[in-house]
Amino acid sequence: MSKVAIVTGGTRGIGQAISLELKHRGYRVAANYGGNDEAAQKFKAETDIPVFKWDVGDYDACAAGLAEVEKELGPIAVIVNNAGITRDAMLHRMTPQQWREVIRVDLDSMFNMVQPVINGMRDRNFGRIINISSINGQKGQMGQTNYSAAKAGVIGFTKALAQENAKKGITVNVVAPGYIDTEMVQAVPEKVLESIIAQIPVGRLGKAEEIAKAVAFLASDDAGFITGSTITANGGQYIAT
Ligand code: NDP
């Protein structure tokens, strides 16, 4: 029987590419999303991948949503924590709400999505957890103290969880994308985007599919000895040790 994978924010952008890549590789995929029903229904119609709406910043919503996915598709073997938002502002102008929104969606979601299903994975002696961080969590980015803190937190969370579950056949890893051509990046002003591309040694934005392939590798049986790692996929823009 094929494995069940849940992808948060799996109906748009990078998450959409991850959902499609995992489906292509034979997983039974569930795509979570937050609020954009139109995009989700279009995605469902085009791909035949079931969609599930809940807020990954809300623990109870995650627990209920994950239970629904398991009821419909079976025990979850792969979690891809991809959903994320930005609320950019320099700290001296940032509101408490901008801070909190990013921390809850980008970082609290890690706990909310994993805690309800980790015991099942431990019982079955198998799991793959892949968390999407960001180049800006690795190097810091002005205007993004909230986002940089959350995405750096994702890496710390991953390292600790990897150690806790290594003996149980569960691997936990990060993919840290650089600038990828999705709506999140298309929202960046053109002049700023030009200066960003100038800093990318490969000379272009990344493609969502390139991130999806890294995620799919970490989900595979071939990646069983890799845990607590961060794969950077940023065109050489920031080469972390
Ligand atoms: P998009 O804005 O294109 O898509 C975001 C996805 O997350 C959507 O499916 C959205 O759902 C979902 N989402 C947002 N908030 C919630 C929520 N509260 N609950 C559930 N789902 C939610 O983002 P990208 O594809 O660009 O980014 C995906 C991930 O990659 C993010 O974690 C981002 O931080 C990270 N990343 C992106 C980079 C880039 O260059 N694009 C670079 C580095 C990291 P809905 O459709 O309902 O709104």
Side-chain angles (χ1 to χ4, degrees):
M1 189 78 133
S2 58
K3 294 190 178 91
V4 174
I6 170 77
V7 182
T8 68
T11 56
R12 285 199 294 124
I14 294 172
Q16 176 176 31
I18 296 169
S19 297
L20 288 170
E21 183 66 27
L22 292 177
K23 184 181 179 189
H24 174 69
R25 295 190 187 209
Y27 293 83
R28 277 175 292 150
V29 177
N32 152 271
Y33 70 105
N36 190 333
D37 294 313
E38 200 181 318
Q41 290 311 322
K42 185 166 177 274
F43 170 80
K44 185 183 171 191
E46 285 171 2
T47 63
D48 214 21
I49 292 173
V51 297
F52 297 82
K53 180 178 177 177
W54 73 78
D55 174 7
V56 295
D58 178 334
Y59 177 83
D60 292 337
C62 286
L66 287 161
E68 198 186 333
V69 169
E70 293 206 317
K71 198 170 149 212
E72 284 188 27
L73 300 182
I76 290 170
V78 179
I79 303 175
V80 184
N81 282 316
N82 163 80
I85 59 167
T86 52
R87 298 285 183 268
D88 295 355
M90 302 285 263
L91 187 86
H92 56 272
R93 293 196 202 103
M94 187 177 286
T95 63
Q97 190 184 357
Q98 286 174 312
W99 173 265
R100 274 196 300 269
E101 279 179 13
V102 170
I103 298 296
R104 74 183 282 286
V105 175
D106 295 11
L107 183 57
D108 290 356
S109 59
M110 299 290 136
F111 175 82
N112 297 344
M113 280 295 299
V114 174
Q115 206 282 336
V117 290
I118 192 75
N119 279 317
M121 287 182 168
R122 289 171 65 90
D123 289 346
R124 294 186 294 276
N125 276 298
F126 184 86
R128 293 280 187 269
I129 300 169
I130 300 121
N131 302 320
I132 306 302
S133 177
S134 165
I135 185 174
N136 292 343
Q138 296 175 296
K139 70 171 187 55
Q141 175 61 42
M142 64 187 287
Q144 291 195 323
T145 50
N146 49 4
Y147 186 78
S148 298
K151 293 298 190 179
V154 167
I155 295 174
F157 170 85
T158 299
K159 290 177 178 176
L161 191 67
Q163 292 173 49
E164 288 182 9
N165 293 284
K167 284 202 166 62
K168 293 286 182 182
I170 300 167
T171 67
V172 194
N173 292 290
V174 166
V175 176
Y179 286 84
I180 308 301
D181 195 6
T182 67
E183 281 172 39
M184 189 182 265
V185 164
Q186 283 153 16
V188 173
E190 201 178 318
K191 278 259 176 302
V192 179
L193 202 53
E194 276 171 24
S195 69
I196 289 170
I197 292 173
Q199 292 161 28
I200 304 174
V202 303
R204 63 169 174 86
L205 297 173
K207 297 182 194 133
E209 294 73 22
E210 293 173 308
I211 303 306
K213 289 196 193 291
V215 169
F217 168 65
L218 290 171
S220 73
D221 288 341
D222 291 338
F225 201 56
I226 302 174
T227 195
S229 283
T230 297
I231 294 184
T232 64
N234 61 32
Q237 187 182 351
Y238 179 73
I239 301 180
T241 51

